[in-house]
């Protein structure tokens, strides 16, 4: 059974930083892409960032230049460094994985970690 366990969220002031972590288990060695999503209150879950293998990255939802996704394959962990946080970044953040582009994301989702950006 695939499991995702997100951590590292919290309350931070605008302009601050947080580093999220996602520990995974049960993923096959063929997993090529890992990603972070977020869901704000009353909104649909949206894709934030993807990392392909260990060094190719893509960013969405207006986070480029502020967020950095990275991955430690040895520890089956993916990270999201979030800088220059804005109130609109407030959401529950989730990680997920899939074998390759175009294939669906894993059906299992973790509990997520709450990020609140407020003064």
């Amino acid at each position: 059974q695939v499991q995702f366990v997100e951590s590292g969220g919290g309350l931070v002031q605008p302009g601050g930083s947080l580093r999220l972590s996602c520990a995974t288990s049960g993923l096959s060695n063929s997993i090529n892409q890992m990603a972070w999503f977020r869901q704000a209150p009353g909104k649909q879950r949206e894709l934030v960032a993807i990392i392909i293998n260990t060094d190719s990255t893509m960013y969405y939802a207006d986070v480029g230049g502020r967020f950095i996704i990275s991955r430690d394959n040895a520890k089956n962990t993916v990270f999201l460094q979030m800088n220059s946080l804005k109130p609109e970044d407030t959401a529950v953040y989730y990680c997920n994985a899939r074998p390759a582009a175009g294939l669906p994301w894993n059906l299992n989702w973790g509990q997520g970690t709450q990020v609140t950006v407020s003064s």
Side-chain angles (χ1 to χ4, degrees), residues 43-119:
K43 295 187 177 181
Q44 290 190 337
R45 189 174 296 169
E46 64 177 352
L47 179 61
V48 173
I50 294 176
I51 184 164
I52 302 168
N53 293 322
T54 58
D55 56 3
S56 179
T57 58
M58 295 183 288
Y59 298 94
Y60 307 83
D62 193 31
V63 304
R66 299 188 298 121
F67 290 10
I68 301 171
I69 186 172
S70 61
R71 178 177 177 179
D72 184 339
N73 280 346
K75 297 182 179 180
N76 295 323
T77 304
V78 61
F79 305 96
L80 187 67
Q81 177 66 44
M82 305 188 297
N83 302 317
S84 302
L85 283 161
K86 305 176 181 180
E88 49 264 44
D89 295 319
T90 295
V92 179
Y93 284 71
Y94 303 87
C95 66
N96 207 296
R98 64 184 179 184
L103 296 178
W105 297 101
N106 198 283
L107 294 177
N108 293 323
W109 292 85
Q111 294 299 308
T113 185
Q114 175 71 49
V115 172
T116 302
V117 185
S118 174
S119 55

Side-chain angles (χ1 to χ4, degrees), residues 2-5 22-27 34 75-78 95:
V2 174
Q3 289 189 321
F4 302 98
V5 180
C22 174
T24 70
S25 61
L27 290 176
M34 299 193 73
K75 297 182 179 180
N76 295 323
T77 304
V78 61
C95 66

Side-chain angles (χ1 to χ4, degrees), residues 7-45:
S7 62
L11 173 63
V12 63
Q13 292 187 341
S17 298
L18 282 174
R19 180 177 169 85
L20 306 184
S21 299
C22 174
T24 70
S25 61
L27 290 176
S28 73
N29 291 332
S30 65
I31 289 297
N32 172 263
Q33 298 191 352
M34 299 193 73
W36 283 95
F37 293 77
R38 68 186 180 189
Q39 187 166 18
K43 295 187 177 181
Q44 290 190 337
R45 189 174 296 169

